[in-house]
Amino acid sequence: MAAGSCLLLLLLPSLVTASHSPPGCKIRITSKGLDLVKQEGLRFVEQELQNITVSDLHGSEGQFQYNISQVKVTDLQLAFSDLNFQPQQHLVFNINNASISLRFRRQLLYWFFYDIGSINASADGVYIYTVLQLAKDEAGRLKISNMTCDASIARMHAGFSGTLRKVYEFLSTFIVTGMRFLLSQQICPSLEHASLVLLNSLLDTVPVRNYVDEHIGIDYSLLRDPSVSTDTLDLDFKGMFFPRMREDQELENHAVEPVIKETERMVYVAFSEYFFDSAMHSYFQAGVLTIELQGEKVPKDLEVLLRATFFGTIFMLSPSVDAPLRLVLQVSAPPRCTIKPSGTSVSVSAFLNISLVPPDRPPVQLSSMAMETKLSAKVFLQGKALRVQLDLRRFRIYSKQSALESLALFSLQAPLKTLLQLTIMPIINERTKKGVQIPLPEGMDFTREVVTNHAGFLTVGADLHFSKGLREVIEKYRPVPTAAAYSSTRPAEPSLDPSSL
């Protein structure tokens, strides 16, 4: 028994390591980014608190009966607010010494006197303390999983006017105390709905698993709950591409895990070699890494050189000497990405098949040569799209059949490299021009991007910019309330009949 326990203890660290899947993509939000989110979020909170619905207040004191209704928030002053990272609790939003101005309708019956009008009131020393817990949901999406809230009002004042002003002032304690209680009871439910419903609808706009084009898609699901320190919030995404014909295909991640140490910018996004490798592997699995040039699409100078190189073969095929040439470039294995501090490169192995295509006759293969190329990759960010521009760095061809034929192909080295640079590379870069979206909510974009290469991964440091306000995006995706819910939450119109008091 003791030996078994010791063995389990020895295996436990390896089991924990194995269960920790390295992310292909990692996002870090710094305290500077949180300051920007606070500014936009504060406007959103103000708008939500302005929509607070307070129930009617009824009461009586001796022969005095009153009805307070149609309570509206007219102004908010949230001067002292803060939004911070807090380990274990994730986000803490704190408002101190705020003030809320109100206007509501009064109805009074005192003996045979009946009075109606409006009252202006102010709630001072408003304190709100909320904690937002962030977690990964079942779909791998970031969500606000829970919220705790504490709200209080230190003081409340009401200004009375009219013929019964003295009576109002005498009974103001009852009215103000009741309004203070009702208002404080509505703050947290309003913010809870704003967080768990409205802000989560904003997080629903973050792409988790979507299609990039007609061939491949990408999986941006979270691997685990967020990791929060006092200055940063880190999100580990799967960051894996997949072919659309095999959406359940998994590519095991053996790449180096990205490590983000910087905190100077608002946000950092890191991509490992696995991120790019899975994209190229998916395109390879989809069977689209093939380019065919035939007839007029073959550059004239190259066609003349190819016909001269294979003159003997072509002559033996007479009378098909004038048959069109066909070049088929096909990648033979998934390309591999290598990221170093000096730059990013992509290694590609391919076959180039050269054939004659006589009319109404089977194609005649002239040569099948192997190609090894190394492409330099420039990775950059535009908006929320990560794009890659490729350029040919090294190129080598050789025959799969004999060393003698490889020697004969030496003269084709330069023109085929030119073919790749002028004809093939523009086609490839046109396909990568669209890029792939980085998982950010709608309405939020990157600015002042800087790309930095590391050993096995690269990082993009940037600042954030709200191209759309939180309210605009939330209203676009706000859940539509049902008719029953609307009728049950809509406040009733107050009665103007004194007998109803």
Side-chain angles (χ1 to χ4, degrees):
M1 179 68 70
S5 300
C6 293
L7 180 61
L8 180 61
L9 290 174
L10 290 173
L11 291 176
L12 187 59
S14 62
L15 292 175
V16 172
T17 303
S19 63
H20 181 85
S21 301
C25 172
K26 190 180 192 113
I27 291 183
R28 163 169 288 184
I29 300 174
T30 67
S31 55
K32 292 182 180 180
L34 196 63
D35 287 340
L36 179 67
V37 174
K38 186 192 79 171
Q39 297 173 17
E40 185 65 28
L42 192 59
R43 286 192 288 267
F44 173 67
V45 169
E46 289 178 349
Q47 293 166 348
E48 285 301 303
L49 292 180
Q50 285 176 346
N51 295 325
I52 285 179
T53 301
V54 181
S55 303
D56 294 353
L57 180 64
H58 307 274
S60 62
E61 182 66 23
Q63 298 299 320
F64 179 80
Q65 300 179 60
Y66 59 89
N67 180 13
I68 302 300
S69 60
Q70 298 182 5
V71 181
K72 299 292 183 183
V73 176
T74 58
D75 187 41
L76 284 165
Q77 296 294 330
L78 308 180
F80 303 100
S81 63
D82 207 358
L83 180 64
N84 292 313
F85 294 120
Q86 185 168 326
Q88 307 303 322
Q89 294 181 316
H90 301 159
L91 290 179
V92 174
F93 184 56
N94 192 19
I95 296 176
N96 286 302
N97 203 25
S99 63
I100 303 177
S101 298
L102 305 169
R103 185 177 181 85
F104 47 87
R105 181 182 178 86
R106 72 173 188 264
Q107 292 175 283
L108 170 70
L109 182 62
Y110 183 69
W111 291 98
F112 51 86
F113 294 101
Y114 177 64
D115 182 46
I116 62 174
S118 60
I119 299 176
N120 295 320
S122 64
D124 299 321
V126 179
Y127 168 79
I128 304 173
Y129 183 84
T130 58
V131 177
L132 302 178
Q133 293 185 351
L134 303 177
K136 175 183 76 74
D137 67 5
E138 293 181 357
R141 191 185 301 274
L142 178 66
K143 283 296 180 71
I144 301 174
S145 60
N146 191 27
M147 173 189 170
T148 58
C149 176
D150 181 28
S152 63
I153 299 174
R155 300 170 302 280
M156 192 160 187
H157 307 279
F160 300 97
S161 62
T163 58
L164 300 177
R165 176 185 175 189
K166 294 297 183 181
V167 178
Y168 279 127
E169 290 178 349
F170 174 73
L171 297 170
S172 64
T173 303
F174 300 100
I175 298 176
V176 169
T177 302
M179 287 303 301
R180 175 183 167 190
F181 174 78
L182 290 176
L183 180 61
S184 62
Q185 290 298 304
Q186 292 299 318
I187 292 176
C188 284
S190 177
L191 295 182
E192 183 176 354
H193 177 266
S195 300
L196 299 181
V197 178
L198 301 184
L199 288 182
N200 274 337
S201 70
L202 175 69
L203 294 175
D204 283 337
T205 66
V206 177
V208 171
R209 188 177 177 91
N210 62 326
Y211 296 137
V212 176
D213 54 30
E214 64 271 24
H215 305 296
I216 69 171
I218 186 168
D219 188 340
Y220 270 133
S221 58
L222 281 171
L223 294 175
R224 55 194 63 90
D225 290 340
S227 174
V228 183
S229 70
T230 55
D231 299 315
T232 60
L233 183 147
D234 290 342
L235 301 168
D236 290 347
F237 296 93
K238 192 172 187 178
M240 184 197 77
F241 292 83
F242 57 87
R244 292 182 59 170
M245 64 177 63
R246 302 175 185 172
E247 294 195 12
D248 58 343
Q249 177 175 289
E250 292 281 340
L251 182 63
E252 194 170 351
N253 188 352
H254 297 291
V256 174
E257 179 172 350
V259 178
I260 304 176
K261 297 181 179 179
E262 301 89 344
T263 58
E264 291 78 16
R265 295 296 186 95
M266 294 183 181
V267 64
Y268 290 88
V269 188
F271 303 93
S272 74
E273 293 173 344
Y274 172 81
F275 180 86
F276 301 100
D277 284 346
S278 67
M280 294 181 289
H281 186 274
S282 297
Y283 275 123
F284 181 79
Q285 291 291 320
V288 297
L289 297 185
T290 301
I291 297 177
E292 180 177 320
L293 302 176
Q294 182 173 324
E296 296 181 354
K297 294 184 178 181
V298 179
K300 198 64 180 177
D301 294 343
L302 179 62
E303 180 182 3
V304 172
L305 183 61
L306 289 175
R307 288 183 181 275
T309 302
F310 300 104
F311 180 79
T313 305
I314 297 174
F315 184 78
M316 296 298 294
L317 296 173
S318 180
S320 302
V321 176
D322 294 330
L325 279 176
R326 180 172 67 188
L327 279 62
V328 179
L329 180 63
Q330 182 175 5
V331 174
S332 56
R336 296 299 303 272
C337 173
T338 302
I339 303 177
K340 297 180 179 180
S342 57
T344 302
S345 62
V346 178
S347 301
V348 184
S349 298
F351 295 134
L352 177 61
N353 295 320
I354 304 175
S355 306
L356 282 175
V357 190
D360 303 324
R361 293 179 58 184
V364 179
Q365 182 170 303
L366 301 180
S367 178
S368 178
M369 61 189 75
M371 300 175 56
E372 292 182 358
T373 61
K374 180 162 284 191
L375 311 175
S376 61
K378 179 184 177 182
V379 181
F380 60 99
L381 201 61
Q382 189 167 3
K384 279 190 293 190
L386 183 74
R387 299 181 178 180
V388 179
Q389 184 173 3
L390 299 171
D391 191 22
L392 183 62
R393 182 193 300 177
R394 289 189 303 187
F395 172 78
R396 184 173 75 93
I397 60 172
Y398 58 93
S399 173
K400 298 185 298 179
Q401 301 174 0
S402 67
L404 183 62
E405 186 174 4
S406 295
L407 184 62
L409 294 175
F410 184 76
S411 60
L412 296 177
Q413 186 90 15
L416 284 177
K417 184 176 182 179
T418 302
L419 170 70
L420 289 176
Q421 289 175 324
L422 300 181
T423 305
I424 306 301
M425 294 309 300
I427 295 175
I428 296 175
N429 283 323
E430 184 63 28
R431 292 182 179 179
T432 62
K433 184 178 180 180
K434 180 181 178 181
V436 60
Q437 185 178 355
I438 291 178
L440 276 185
E442 183 176 336
M444 188 178 292
D445 294 317
F446 295 107
T447 61
R448 299 177 60 238
E449 308 90 349
V450 175
V451 179
T452 305
N453 280 45
H454 304 272
F457 65 96
L458 59 85
T459 61
V460 181
D463 289 336
L464 292 172
H465 166 70
F466 280 95
S467 58
K468 297 179 182 178
L470 289 178
R471 172 64 56 185
E472 181 182 355
V473 179
I474 287 173
E475 288 297 331
K476 180 179 178 180
Y477 295 97
R478 178 191 287 268
V480 179
T482 62
Y486 177 77
S487 61
S488 64
T489 57
R490 187 177 181 180
E493 294 292 334
S495 171
L496 297 180
D497 184 4
S499 62
S500 65
L501 298 174

Coordinates of all heavy atoms in Angstrom, one line a residue, residues 20 22-29 220 222 224 227 233-239 257-261 267-272 275 438-439 457-460:
H20 N -2.3 19.8 -18.8 CA -2.2 21.2 -19.1 C -1.9 21.4 -20.6 O -0.8 21.2 -21.0 CB -1.1 21.9 -18.3 CG -1.0 23.3 -18.6 ND1 -1.8 24.3 -17.9 CD2 -0.2 24.0 -19.4 CE1 -1.4 25.5 -18.4 NE2 -0.4 25.3 -19.3
P22 N -1.1 23.2 -23.9 CA -0.5 24.5 -24.2 C -1.4 25.3 -25.2 O -2.0 24.7 -26.1 CB 0.9 24.2 -24.8 CG 0.7 22.8 -25.3 CD -0.2 22.1 -24.4
P23 N -1.6 26.6 -25.0 CA -2.4 27.3 -25.9 C -1.7 27.7 -27.2 O -0.5 27.9 -27.3 CB -2.7 28.6 -25.1 CG -1.5 28.8 -24.3 CD -1.0 27.4 -23.9
G24 N -2.5 27.7 -28.3 CA -1.9 28.1 -29.6 C -2.0 29.7 -29.7 O -1.2 30.3 -30.4
C25 N -2.9 30.3 -28.9 CA -3.1 31.7 -28.9 C -3.3 32.1 -27.4 O -4.1 31.5 -26.7 CB -4.2 32.1 -29.8 SG -4.7 33.9 -29.7
K26 N -2.7 33.2 -27.1 CA -2.8 33.7 -25.7 C -3.0 35.2 -25.7 O -2.4 35.9 -26.5 CB -1.6 33.4 -24.9 CG -1.7 33.6 -23.4 CD -0.3 33.3 -22.7 CE -0.5 33.2 -21.2 NZ -0.3 31.9 -20.7
I27 N -4.0 35.7 -24.9 CA -4.3 37.2 -24.8 C -4.1 37.6 -23.4 O -4.5 37.0 -22.5 CB -5.7 37.5 -25.3 CG1 -5.8 37.2 -26.8 CG2 -6.0 38.9 -25.0 CD1 -7.2 37.6 -27.4
R28 N -3.3 38.7 -23.3 CA -3.1 39.4 -22.0 C -3.7 40.8 -22.0 O -3.4 41.6 -22.9 CB -1.7 39.4 -21.6 CG -1.4 40.4 -20.5 CD 0.0 40.3 -20.0 NE 0.2 39.1 -19.2 CZ 1.3 38.7 -18.5 NH1 2.4 39.5 -18.6 NH2 1.4 37.6 -17.8
I29 N -4.6 41.1 -21.1 CA -5.1 42.4 -20.9 C -4.4 43.0 -19.7 O -4.5 42.4 -18.6 CB -6.6 42.4 -20.7 CG1 -7.3 41.8 -21.9 CG2 -7.2 43.8 -20.5 CD1 -8.8 41.6 -21.8
Y220 N -11.3 29.0 -31.3 CA -10.8 29.9 -30.4 C -11.3 29.6 -29.0 O -11.4 30.5 -28.2 CB -11.1 31.3 -30.8 CG -10.1 32.0 -31.6 CD1 -10.5 32.7 -32.8 CD2 -8.8 32.0 -31.3 CE1 -9.6 33.4 -33.6 CE2 -7.8 32.7 -32.1 CZ -8.3 33.4 -33.2 OH -7.4 34.0 -34.0
L222 N -11.7 28.7 -25.1 CA -10.8 28.8 -24.0 C -10.4 27.4 -23.5 O -11.3 26.5 -23.4 CB -11.4 29.6 -22.9 CG -11.4 31.1 -23.0 CD1 -12.3 31.7 -21.9 CD2 -10.0 31.7 -22.9
R224 N -9.1 27.0 -20.4 CA -9.2 27.0 -18.9 C -9.8 28.4 -18.5 O -9.9 29.3 -19.3 CB -7.9 26.7 -18.2 CG -6.8 27.6 -18.6 CD -5.4 27.1 -18.2 NE -5.1 25.8 -18.8 CZ -4.5 25.7 -20.0 NH1 -4.1 26.8 -20.6 NH2 -4.2 24.5 -20.5
S227 N -6.6 33.5 -15.9 CA -5.6 33.6 -14.9 C -5.5 35.1 -14.6 O -5.1 35.9 -15.5 CB -4.3 33.0 -15.3 OG -3.3 33.2 -14.4
L233 N -4.7 40.1 -16.8 CA -5.7 39.0 -17.0 C -5.3 38.3 -18.2 O -5.2 38.8 -19.3 CB -7.1 39.6 -17.1 CG -8.2 38.5 -17.3 CD1 -9.5 39.1 -16.6 CD2 -8.5 38.2 -18.7
D234 N -4.9 37.0 -18.1 CA -4.5 36.1 -19.2 C -5.5 35.1 -19.6 O -6.2 34.5 -18.7 CB -3.2 35.4 -18.8 CG -2.0 36.3 -18.6 OD1 -2.1 37.5 -19.2 OD2 -1.0 36.0 -18.0
L235 N -5.7 35.0 -20.9 CA -6.7 34.1 -21.5 C -5.9 33.1 -22.4 O -5.2 33.5 -23.3 CB -7.7 34.8 -22.3 CG -8.5 35.9 -21.5 CD1 -9.3 36.7 -22.4 CD2 -9.5 35.2 -20.5
D236 N -6.1 31.8 -22.2 CA -5.4 30.8 -23.0 C -6.5 30.2 -24.0 O -7.4 29.5 -23.5 CB -4.9 29.6 -22.1 CG -3.7 30.1 -21.3 OD1 -3.1 31.2 -21.6 OD2 -3.3 29.4 -20.4
F237 N -6.2 30.4 -25.3 CA -7.1 29.9 -26.3 C -6.5 28.7 -27.0 O -5.3 28.6 -27.1 CB -7.4 31.0 -27.3 CG -8.2 32.2 -26.8 CD1 -7.5 33.3 -26.3 CD2 -9.6 32.2 -26.7 CE1 -8.2 34.4 -25.8 CE2 -10.3 33.3 -26.2 CZ -9.6 34.4 -25.8
K238 N -7.4 27.8 -27.5 CA -6.9 26.7 -28.2 C -6.1 27.1 -29.4 O -5.0 26.6 -29.7 CB -8.0 25.8 -28.6 CG -7.6 24.4 -29.1 CD -8.9 23.5 -29.3 CE -8.5 22.1 -29.6 NZ -9.7 21.2 -29.7
G239 N -6.6 28.0 -30.2 CA -5.9 28.6 -31.4 C -5.6 27.5 -32.4 O -4.4 27.5 -32.9
E257 N 5.0 26.9 -25.5 CA 3.9 27.7 -25.0 C 4.3 29.1 -24.9 O 5.3 29.5 -24.4 CB 3.5 27.2 -23.6 CG 2.3 28.0 -23.0 CD 1.8 27.4 -21.7 OE1 2.2 26.3 -21.4 OE2 1.0 28.1 -21.0
P258 N 3.5 30.0 -25.5 CA 3.8 31.5 -25.4 C 3.8 32.0 -24.0 O 3.0 31.6 -23.2 CB 2.6 32.1 -26.2 CG 2.0 31.0 -27.0 CD 2.2 29.8 -26.2
V259 N 4.8 32.8 -23.7 CA 5.0 33.4 -22.4 C 5.0 35.0 -22.6 O 5.9 35.5 -23.3 CB 6.3 33.0 -21.7 CG1 6.4 33.7 -20.4 CG2 6.3 31.5 -21.5
I260 N 4.0 35.6 -22.1 CA 4.0 37.1 -22.2 C 4.5 37.7 -20.9 O 3.9 37.5 -19.8 CB 2.5 37.6 -22.5 CG1 2.0 36.8 -23.8 CG2 2.5 39.1 -22.7 CD1 0.5 37.2 -24.0
K261 N 5.5 38.5 -21.0 CA 6.1 39.2 -19.9 C 5.8 40.7 -19.9 O 5.9 41.4 -18.9 CB 7.6 39.0 -19.8 CG 7.9 37.5 -19.6 CD 9.4 37.3 -19.6 CE 9.8 35.8 -19.4 NZ 11.3 35.6 -19.3
V267 N -2.9 45.6 -24.4 CA -3.2 44.2 -24.7 C -2.1 43.6 -25.5 O -1.4 44.3 -26.2 CB -4.5 44.1 -25.5 CG1 -4.4 44.7 -26.9 CG2 -5.0 42.6 -25.6
Y268 N -1.8 42.3 -25.2 CA -0.8 41.5 -25.9 C -1.5 40.2 -26.4 O -2.2 39.6 -25.7 CB 0.4 41.2 -25.0 CG 1.2 42.4 -24.7 CD1 0.9 43.2 -23.6 CD2 2.3 42.7 -25.5 CE1 1.7 44.3 -23.3 CE2 3.1 43.8 -25.2 CZ 2.8 44.6 -24.1 OH 3.6 45.7 -23.8
V269 N -1.2 39.9 -27.7 CA -1.7 38.7 -28.2 C -0.5 37.9 -28.7 O 0.4 38.4 -29.4 CB -2.7 38.9 -29.4 CG1 -3.3 37.6 -29.9 CG2 -3.7 39.9 -29.1
A270 N -0.4 36.6 -28.2 CA 0.8 35.8 -28.6 C 0.3 34.6 -29.4 O -0.8 34.0 -29.1 CB 1.5 35.3 -27.3
F271 N 1.1 34.2 -30.4 CA 0.7 33.1 -31.3 C 2.0 32.2 -31.3 O 3.1 32.6 -31.6 CB 0.4 33.6 -32.7 CG -0.7 34.5 -32.8 CD1 -0.5 35.9 -32.8 CD2 -2.0 34.1 -32.8 CE1 -1.5 36.8 -32.8 CE2 -3.1 35.0 -32.9 CZ -2.8 36.4 -32.9
S272 N 1.7 30.9 -31.1 CA 2.8 29.9 -31.1 C 3.0 29.4 -32.6 O 2.1 29.6 -33.4 CB 2.6 28.8 -30.2 OG 1.6 27.9 -30.7
F275 N -0.1 27.5 -33.9 CA -1.2 28.3 -34.5 C -1.1 28.3 -36.0 O -2.0 28.0 -36.8 CB -1.2 29.7 -33.9 CG -2.2 30.7 -34.5 CD1 -3.5 30.7 -33.9 CD2 -2.0 31.5 -35.6 CE1 -4.5 31.6 -34.4 CE2 -2.9 32.3 -36.0 CZ -4.2 32.4 -35.4
I438 N -8.9 38.0 -34.7 CA -8.5 37.7 -33.3 C -9.7 37.8 -32.4 O -10.6 38.7 -32.6 CB -7.4 38.7 -33.0 CG1 -6.1 38.5 -33.8 CG2 -7.1 38.7 -31.5 CD1 -5.0 39.4 -33.5
P439 N -9.8 37.0 -31.4 CA -11.0 36.9 -30.6 C -11.2 38.1 -29.7 O -10.8 38.1 -28.5 CB -10.8 35.6 -29.8 CG -9.4 35.4 -29.7 CD -8.8 35.9 -31.0
F457 N 7.5 31.5 -30.7 CA 6.2 32.3 -30.7 C 6.5 33.7 -31.0 O 7.6 34.2 -30.9 CB 5.4 32.1 -29.4 CG 6.1 32.7 -28.2 CD1 5.8 34.0 -27.8 CD2 7.1 32.0 -27.5 CE1 6.4 34.6 -26.7 CE2 7.7 32.6 -26.4 CZ 7.4 33.9 -26.0
L458 N 5.4 34.5 -31.4 CA 5.5 35.9 -31.6 C 4.4 36.6 -30.8 O 3.3 36.0 -30.5 CB 5.5 36.3 -33.0 CG 4.3 35.9 -33.9 CD1 3.2 36.9 -33.8 CD2 4.7 35.7 -35.4
T459 N 4.6 37.8 -30.4 CA 3.6 38.6 -29.7 C 3.2 39.9 -30.5 O 4.1 40.4 -31.2 CB 4.1 39.0 -28.3 OG1 5.3 39.8 -28.4 CG2 4.4 37.8 -27.5
V460 N 2.0 40.3 -30.4 CA 1.5 41.5 -31.0 C 1.1 42.4 -29.8 O 0.1 42.1 -29.1 CB 0.4 41.3 -32.0 CG1 -0.1 42.6 -32.5 CG2 0.8 40.3 -33.1

